[in-house]
């Protein structure tokens, strides 16, 4: 066969092919970024944290502080916690039914943003996320809430949240807490300059103004963290009326031999500064803490001591200064003996249900007398707060009211003159009227309210009439007819001298 024939045979044996068009998809990953909480804290910029906070909180202001951490061990989870700058307007509305503002993820899968078991109620203002690899994913939310790992997660979250607040406080004070277990995790930054310290102080002042009540609620509710929370408290004192100070700062500048932390609760700082209860304390140069928030009374019922120093309410009886020597004790004993008959007579003059005892005071310097309450009863400020409650229980108030004690100032000229007149004539109606007036005045200056203000007003009117030499019976009000008559057979010219 020729070559041409062989080529033709090969062409006939070759398979016939067909061209087919096929579409091939080439996928390109547009978002290759990890979730911010999965990344290392050292790789995340502060601006990224701010953007993330604004996204999850719908807030237009950057956070005051934040913490980014990873917990390892029996329970593993990653978390970012933020402290907002402004408290929500409804923070204490429906307080005990409000869930924590944390978003819970399990292995990057969103589970819930209303989980009660992640943070206690008093830290519900903290926002952030928690992503756990330990919690089960294929169970209901109700079952997840009962999971044993949640208790461990909650404990670690609380510790980290309080540590974050502590560091925020230290930014302004420049102090470090060596006793805190987590203090070793923070690197030593060295001395901070004044500008940084001032900025830190402003930050924590903002925090305390917005969330101070929440910290005080924590002292009441969370006994296990009470000491840590107490270190976060801030308040004004007699030596620092314009700048907030901490309990640690108070203890550092306590006088040698001082055994108690003195405080006084009232309606306003201005009222407390003029309180008769502080006269001796200020004269001895002892610092007194001012509490003006109504919740402070409840907080101090749970916070009884700090750094082994007991708290002492300046408005309660048995106030001790801890610096009395034998000579001073002997002088006080002698004064009590001198005024023994006078105090017993005064106690008999006063209504039996009003006062338990009349004693010589060790706290007054210029004020003639004051009314204090028993150690374990309500103070005058607490009594005022409870009376203002819309749903207050009168039966409870009757036995929770502190028993009142009238304390008199033996060095006051009024007390000395009244004692002379009472010793001369214990039936002198003018003296009786004056001691009743002094008692009612002491009730008001000590922060109590009068059950019968009209009677008190009547006594004041009578004193005014004496000063103006007006006849008692001229234009007498009906309310004044129940008052005991003044001493009779006294000429008009000598009446003013008796009052003086």
């Amino acid at each position: 066969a020729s070559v041409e024939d062989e080529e033709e045979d090969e062409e006939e044996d070759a398979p016939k092919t067909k061209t087919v068009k096929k579409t091939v998809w080439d996928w390109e990953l547009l978002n290759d970024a990890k979730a911010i909480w999965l990344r290392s804290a050292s790789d995340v910029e502060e601006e990224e944290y701010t953007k993330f906070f604004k996204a999850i909180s719908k807030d237009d202001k950057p956070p005051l502080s934040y913490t980014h951490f990873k917990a390892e061990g029996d329970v593993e989870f990653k978390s970012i916690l933020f402290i907002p700058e402004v408290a929500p307007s409804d923070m204490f509305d429906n307080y005990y039914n409000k869930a924590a503002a944390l978003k819970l993820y399990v292995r990057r899968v969103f589970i819930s943003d209303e989980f009660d078991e992640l943070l206690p109620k008093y830290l519900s203002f903290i926002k952030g996320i928690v992503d756990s690899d330990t919690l089960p994913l294929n169970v209901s939310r109700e079952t997840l809430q009962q999971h044993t790992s949640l208790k461990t997660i909650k404990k670690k979250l609380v510790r980290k949240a309080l540590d974050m607040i502590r560091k925020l406080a230290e930014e302004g004070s420049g102090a470090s807490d060596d006793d805190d277990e987590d203090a070793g995790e923070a690197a030593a930054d060295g001395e901070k300059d004044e500008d940084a310290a001032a900025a830190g102080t402003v930050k924590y002042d903002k925090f305390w103004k917005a969330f101070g009540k929440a910290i005080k609620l924590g002292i009441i509710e969370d006994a296990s963290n009470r000491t840590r929370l107490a270190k976060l408290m801030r308040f004004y004192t007699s030596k620092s009326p314009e700048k907030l100070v901490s309990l640690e700062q108070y203890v550092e500048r306590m006088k040698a031999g001082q055994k108690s932390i003195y405080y006084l609760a009232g309606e306003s700082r201005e009222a407390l500064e003029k309180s008769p209860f502080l006269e001796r304390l200020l004269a001895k140069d002892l610092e007194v803490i001012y509490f003006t928030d109504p919740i402070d009374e409840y907080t101090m019922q749970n916070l009884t001591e700090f750094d082994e120093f007991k708290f002492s309410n300046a408005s309660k009886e048995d106030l001790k200064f801890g610096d009395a020597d034998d000579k001073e004790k002997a002088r006080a004993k002698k004064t009590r003996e001198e005024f023994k008959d006078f105090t017993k007579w005064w106690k008999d003059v006063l209504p039996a249900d009003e006062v338990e005892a009349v004693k010589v005071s060790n706290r007054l310097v210029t004020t003639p007398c004051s009314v204090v309450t028993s150690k374990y009863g309500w103070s005058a400020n607490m009594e005022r707060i409870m009376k203002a409650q819309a749903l207050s229980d009168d039966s409870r108030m009757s036995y929770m009211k502190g028993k009142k004690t009238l304390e008199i100032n033996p060095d006051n000229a009024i007390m000395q003159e009244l004692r002379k007149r009472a010793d001369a004539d214990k039936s002198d109606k003018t003296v009786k009227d004056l001691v009743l007036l002094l008692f009612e005045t002491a009730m008001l200056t000590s922060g109590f309210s009068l059950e019968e203000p009209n009677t008190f007003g009547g006594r004041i009117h009578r004193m005014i009439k004496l000063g103006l030499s007006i006849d008692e019976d001229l234009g007498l009000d009906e309310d004044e007819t129940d008052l005991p008559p003044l001493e009779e057979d006294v000429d008009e010219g000598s009446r003013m001298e008796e009052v003086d």
Side-chain angles (χ1 to χ4, degrees):
S2 64
V3 178
E4 293 180 358
D5 292 339
E6 289 179 2
E7 290 178 355
E8 289 177 1
D9 290 339
E10 288 178 4
E11 290 177 0
E12 289 175 1
D13 295 337
K16 296 180 178 180
T17 59
K18 183 180 178 182
T19 303
V20 178
K21 290 183 178 181
K22 185 178 180 181
T23 303
V24 179
W25 296 97
D26 185 14
W27 294 99
E28 180 183 355
L29 183 61
L30 295 177
N31 183 12
D32 59 351
K34 283 184 178 180
I36 189 172
W37 61 87
L38 298 179
R39 296 158 58 188
S40 172
S42 59
D43 297 336
V44 185
E45 299 291 336
E46 185 170 349
E47 186 180 350
E48 294 180 85
Y49 284 120
T50 301
K51 288 181 179 178
F52 181 67
F53 167 73
K54 290 180 178 180
I56 63 171
S57 66
K58 306 298 186 289
D59 200 337
D60 60 344
K61 296 181 180 178
L64 277 178
S65 184
Y66 61 84
T67 181
H68 183 183
F69 62 95
K70 178 182 180 181
E72 296 178 339
D74 297 336
V75 178
E76 293 188 0
F77 67 92
K78 304 173 187 67
S79 178
I80 304 178
L81 303 178
F82 297 94
I83 300 176
E85 184 175 325
V86 180
S89 57
D90 61 342
M91 185 167 72
F92 297 109
D93 294 348
N94 201 21
Y95 174 74
Y96 289 104
N97 294 322
K98 185 173 291 187
L102 294 184
K103 298 180 184 293
L104 176 64
Y105 288 76
V106 175
R107 299 168 202 160
R108 275 70 68 198
V109 178
F110 176 70
I111 301 299
S112 175
D113 58 356
E114 294 182 355
F115 223 68
D116 292 334
E117 304 301 322
L118 291 176
L119 281 176
K121 300 298 182 186
Y122 68 91
L123 291 177
S124 62
F125 62 88
I126 289 181
K127 301 183 184 296
I129 70 104
V130 178
D131 188 354
S132 173
D133 293 334
T134 308
L135 295 172
L137 187 58
N138 57 343
V139 294
S140 65
R141 294 181 183 182
E142 289 75 15
T143 306
L144 192 60
Q145 283 182 322
Q146 307 302 322
H147 201 276
T148 54
S149 298
L150 277 178
K151 290 184 179 178
T152 306
I153 292 175
K154 179 179 181 178
K155 185 177 180 181
K156 290 185 178 181
L157 285 174
V158 171
R159 293 288 295 277
K160 284 293 183 181
L162 295 182
D163 190 46
M164 171 174 57
I165 299 172
R166 175 183 63 82
K167 289 176 181 176
L168 181 65
E170 288 176 0
E171 286 179 14
S173 63
S176 60
D177 185 5
D178 296 330
D179 297 332
D180 197 288
E181 295 178 13
D182 296 329
E185 297 178 9
D189 296 328
E191 290 188 4
K192 300 178 181 179
D193 58 29
E194 293 182 2
D195 292 340
T201 302
V202 170
K203 265 191 174 184
Y204 196 75
D205 286 353
K206 281 184 181 179
F207 168 82
W208 185 250
K209 185 177 180 181
F211 306 108
K213 278 189 175 69
I215 299 301
K216 294 171 185 176
L217 278 169
I219 292 174
I220 298 170
E221 298 172 359
D222 192 353
S224 60
N225 290 301
R226 190 164 287 157
T227 302
R228 290 186 181 89
L229 290 164
K231 292 177 181 180
L232 302 176
M233 288 181 67
R234 296 293 184 271
F235 37 75
Y236 296 104
T237 70
S238 56
K239 291 186 178 180
S240 180
E242 302 297 332
K243 183 180 178 182
L244 291 168
V245 298
S246 66
L247 283 171
E248 289 172 311
Q249 291 171 318
Y250 179 98
V251 171
E252 283 176 5
R253 55 197 193 200
M254 284 173 65
K255 292 187 67 177
Q258 184 177 339
K259 299 178 181 178
S260 301
I261 299 174
Y262 300 103
Y263 73 92
L264 184 62
E267 197 166 357
S268 67
R269 197 162 75 246
E270 291 75 17
L272 292 177
E273 289 172 348
K274 299 174 183 177
S275 173
F277 299 129
L278 302 184
E279 290 178 357
R280 184 70 62 183
L281 288 166
L282 298 181
K284 290 179 175 288
D285 196 33
L286 295 170
E287 189 170 11
V288 184
I289 296 171
Y290 296 149
F291 286 132
T292 56
D293 196 335
I295 198 175
D296 290 332
E297 286 279 1
Y298 300 92
T299 302
M300 298 314 296
Q301 290 173 13
N302 293 273
L303 187 65
T304 55
E305 65 177 46
F306 179 80
D307 202 11
E308 298 183 357
F309 292 99
K310 296 281 186 182
F311 284 95
S312 179
N313 191 335
S315 68
K316 297 292 185 74
E317 64 179 355
D318 294 332
L319 182 67
K320 293 181 175 62
F321 307 107
D323 60 349
D325 53 19
D326 294 338
K327 186 177 180 181
E328 190 174 343
K329 289 178 181 177
R331 178 178 175 276
K333 184 177 179 181
K334 182 182 177 182
T335 303
R336 286 195 297 270
E337 288 296 326
E338 290 175 355
F339 279 80
K340 185 176 181 181
D341 292 339
F342 178 60
T343 54
K344 185 178 182 302
W345 169 80
W346 198 337
K347 168 68 175 68
D348 295 336
V349 172
L350 297 175
D353 57 339
E354 286 280 353
V355 175
E356 185 182 32
V358 179
K359 297 179 180 178
V360 173
S361 177
N362 66 338
R363 78 186 75 207
L364 300 176
V365 177
T366 57
T367 304
C369 54
S370 65
V371 178
V372 299
T373 53
S374 58
K375 190 174 182 180
Y376 300 103
W378 284 345
S379 65
N381 187 56
M382 188 64 178
E383 193 173 311
R384 176 186 65 82
I385 292 169
M386 294 307 296
K387 282 183 178 180
Q389 300 297 315
L391 302 176
S392 60
D393 184 358
D394 291 340
S395 61
R396 185 186 176 208
M397 287 185 66
S398 61
Y399 66 82
M400 284 303 295
K401 282 182 180 179
K403 293 183 178 179
K404 298 179 181 66
T405 299
L406 177 66
E407 291 191 354
I408 64 173
N409 181 3
D411 299 324
N412 186 272
I414 295 175
M415 291 295 108
Q416 293 173 355
E417 182 63 26
L418 283 174
R419 182 170 72 92
K420 288 179 185 177
R421 298 202 177 198
D423 290 344
D425 185 3
K426 288 184 169 54
S427 61
D428 190 334
K429 294 179 181 178
T430 302
V431 177
K432 287 182 178 180
D433 207 45
L434 289 173
V435 296
L436 285 169
L437 181 61
L438 273 172
F439 167 69
E440 290 167 344
T441 306
M443 286 278 286
L444 292 174
T445 57
S446 301
F448 294 95
S449 59
L450 297 176
E451 297 294 334
E452 298 179 3
N454 288 339
T455 304
F456 172 72
R459 296 187 200 282
I460 294 294
H461 297 157
R462 295 181 73 166
M463 295 301 105
I464 293 173
K465 285 182 178 180
L466 281 173
L468 298 175
S469 301
I470 298 174
D471 189 359
E472 285 183 47
D473 299 327
L474 186 64
L476 191 66
D477 296 334
E478 291 184 4
D479 292 335
E480 297 178 26
T481 56
D482 296 332
L483 296 174
L486 294 175
E487 187 179 15
E488 297 175 355
D489 301 325
V490 181
D491 62 274
E492 295 291 338
S494 64
R495 283 182 179 172
M496 193 61 200
E497 294 178 6
E498 288 190 4
V499 177
D500 295 337

